[in-house]
Amino acid sequence: MASDNVDLPDLSHDGAAGAALLDSDSVADAAPKHSAADLEAVFDVPVTVSAVLGKSAMEVSQLLKLARGTIVELDRKVGEAIDIYVNDRLVARGEVVLVEDRLGITMTEIIKAGSGS
């Protein structure tokens, strides 16, 4: 197996250098800057977007009794934000809007990775 040699800074004598490496602002400044052009390779990748108005749990026997006109109570209140998923991952919350004769969504909150749900 080949050995990969990586040059690491010597932090044993210079406490300031170690602190600079741990400083989050220094790390952000060192990160490469990206633009929308960097994402061109994925622009044509299809994704599934879902807007979830609410959820309800029921037994199979209740499910089989559903008929036209049956009201299913959801876990959300009127006016409460809906969840917006992209490929089954929560990415935003929003509100339902009417666009001419169709329903649409206005995003009111973007969910950052590692939060929400």
Side-chain angles (χ1 to χ4, degrees), residues 47-52 55 82-93 107 109-117:
V47 296
T48 301
V49 178
S50 305
V52 178
K55 297 177 183 178
I82 63 168
D83 293 335
I84 302 166
Y85 291 85
V86 174
N87 288 349
D88 298 323
R89 182 176 181 172
L90 180 65
V91 296
R93 291 202 170 84
M107 290 189 193
E109 176 187 0
I110 303 298
I111 307 297
K112 295 186 178 173
S115 67
S117 191

Side-chain angles (χ1 to χ4, degrees), residues 16-102:
L21 286 175
L22 295 177
D23 182 20
S24 62
D25 292 335
S26 297
V27 173
D29 292 340
K33 304 295 182 199
H34 296 288
S35 68
D38 296 333
L39 296 174
E40 278 188 53
V42 296
F43 282 171
D44 294 330
V45 174
V47 296
T48 301
V49 178
S50 305
V52 178
L53 296 172
K55 297 177 183 178
S56 180
M58 63 180 65
E59 297 173 355
V60 173
S61 60
Q62 293 173 308
L63 181 67
L64 294 172
K65 292 177 185 175
L66 293 179
R68 174 170 275 192
T70 303
I71 296 174
V72 177
E73 186 176 341
L74 302 176
D75 62 350
R76 303 278 173 98
K77 295 181 176 148
V78 173
E80 192 173 339
I82 63 168
D83 293 335
I84 302 166
Y85 291 85
V86 174
N87 288 349
D88 298 323
R89 182 176 181 172
L90 180 65
V91 296
R93 291 202 170 84
E95 299 173 352
V96 177
V97 295
L98 187 60
V99 182
E100 295 181 14
D101 63 340
R102 296 185 176 264

